[in-house]
Each structure stands twice: as structure tokens, then as C-alpha cells.
Amino acid sequence: MTSSNLPTRRLILVSMGILGIVPGFAGFAAPAAAIHIVKVTGCDCCTAWGETLASAGYSVTVEDRNSDAVTAFRAEKGIPEAVAGCHTALVGDYVIEGHVPAADIDRLLSDRPDAVGLAVPGMPMGSPGMDFGRDSEAFDVLLVRRDGTTTVFSSYAAN
């Protein structure tokens, strides 16, 4: 075989990029997961959470609603009031409630459990979007099952 019949390095790399073997090569990166956040108008911590997701590579859209509309949206999407957070988001087939770290959303989308989604109840200091200053409190990310029960998906320690 002559050298003119051998595949070029560029052809091999482009082919690998198309096949997903070399992510990001020559613009062939997988598209960012889209996440749509529904939040109460004027809530700065919800906006900050969205910014952390955008920094992690998510394509973020934000919709402002009044408090009652956000509560109704959360209930409509299957999130129990007991695990309510500050905002409700949709990513793929899942609901994300509250200040869930991007790494947990990544894992959810990778593992694909049969669930409604993830929730961080309340607004724990130190969680993404609530990381004002140096102190943080421990918090759990909960997997919300379709029957409304929850289990700990991941835990974060206080510092």
C-alpha cells in the first residue's frame, strides 16, 4: 500500500470526532444538555444557580413566574412539597428541584434511573447559587421516585 492510500491523521481524527471518540474535536462536541429553570421573579440565588449550570456546560433558559405559579408547576411535575426548594427546572426527562450541583445532574443523566428527578430541599448555604462566603452547611441531594418517596443520591459536608 502506498502512502497516498493510507488514511491521513486528519481524516482519522475527524472520523473519531464524528464517532464521539474524541469529544470536542473540530466542533463535533455533543450538544450541551438544555435545562429550563422556572423561578420566582427577582430571585437572585436562582439566577446564580443557573449561572453555575451554564459554567458547567449546560444550555440554560430561565422563566420567571409568581410564587404561586412556581408552586403549582412543581406540584404538576411530581415534586412533593416536603422536598421543595427555591426553583424547579427541567432537563431531559427529569425535574430538578432546588440548588442541585451540576455533577449530580450529570450523574442523573448518565445513570438514567426511573425517577422524577433530584431535589435539594430548602436553600442550604454553600449549595450552588447559595455559596455566599466561606461557611456552608451539610446537605443531601435526594432522588425523587415516581411514588413521591426519596432516597439520598449524594451528600455534601459542611465546612
Side-chain angles (χ1 to χ4, degrees):
M1 183 179 269
T2 66
S3 64
S4 62
N5 292 337
L6 294 174
T8 66
R9 185 170 67 149
R10 181 180 176 110
L11 177 62
I12 291 169
L13 288 174
V14 169
S15 299
M16 291 171 70
I18 291 170
L19 295 173
I21 298 168
V22 180
F25 178 78
F28 291 111
I35 188 161
H36 181 70
I37 302 169
V38 176
K39 69 176 195 67
V40 175
T41 303
C43 184
D44 291 336
C45 67
C46 299
T47 301
W49 180 69
E51 290 169 357
T52 68
L53 295 178
S55 294
Y58 285 87
S59 174
V60 178
T61 56
V62 179
E63 178 182 348
D64 287 334
R65 296 187 184 183
N66 69 41
S67 182
D68 291 340
V70 173
T71 299
F73 181 75
R74 175 185 308 122
E76 172 190 317
K77 296 302 177 187
I79 298 294
E81 193 60 35
V83 299
C86 186
H87 47 264
T88 305
L90 304 175
V91 61
D93 297 329
Y94 294 105
V95 181
I96 307 298
E97 180 66 21
H99 293 270
V100 176
D104 292 308
I105 299 170
D106 293 345
R107 183 175 143 213
L108 177 76
L109 295 174
S110 174
D111 293 356
R112 311 283 314 154
D114 182 22
V116 171
L118 299 175
V120 171
M123 299 169 63
M125 291 305 295
S127 62
M130 291 295 296
D131 44 0
F132 313 115
R134 297 164 48 106
D135 293 332
S136 67
E137 57 188 314
F139 67 95
D140 290 330
V141 176
L142 304 176
L143 179 71
V144 180
R145 294 188 180 106
R146 298 201 183 281
D147 66 1
T149 61
T150 62
T151 187
V152 175
F153 190 75
S154 63
S155 295
Y156 293 83
N159 68 2

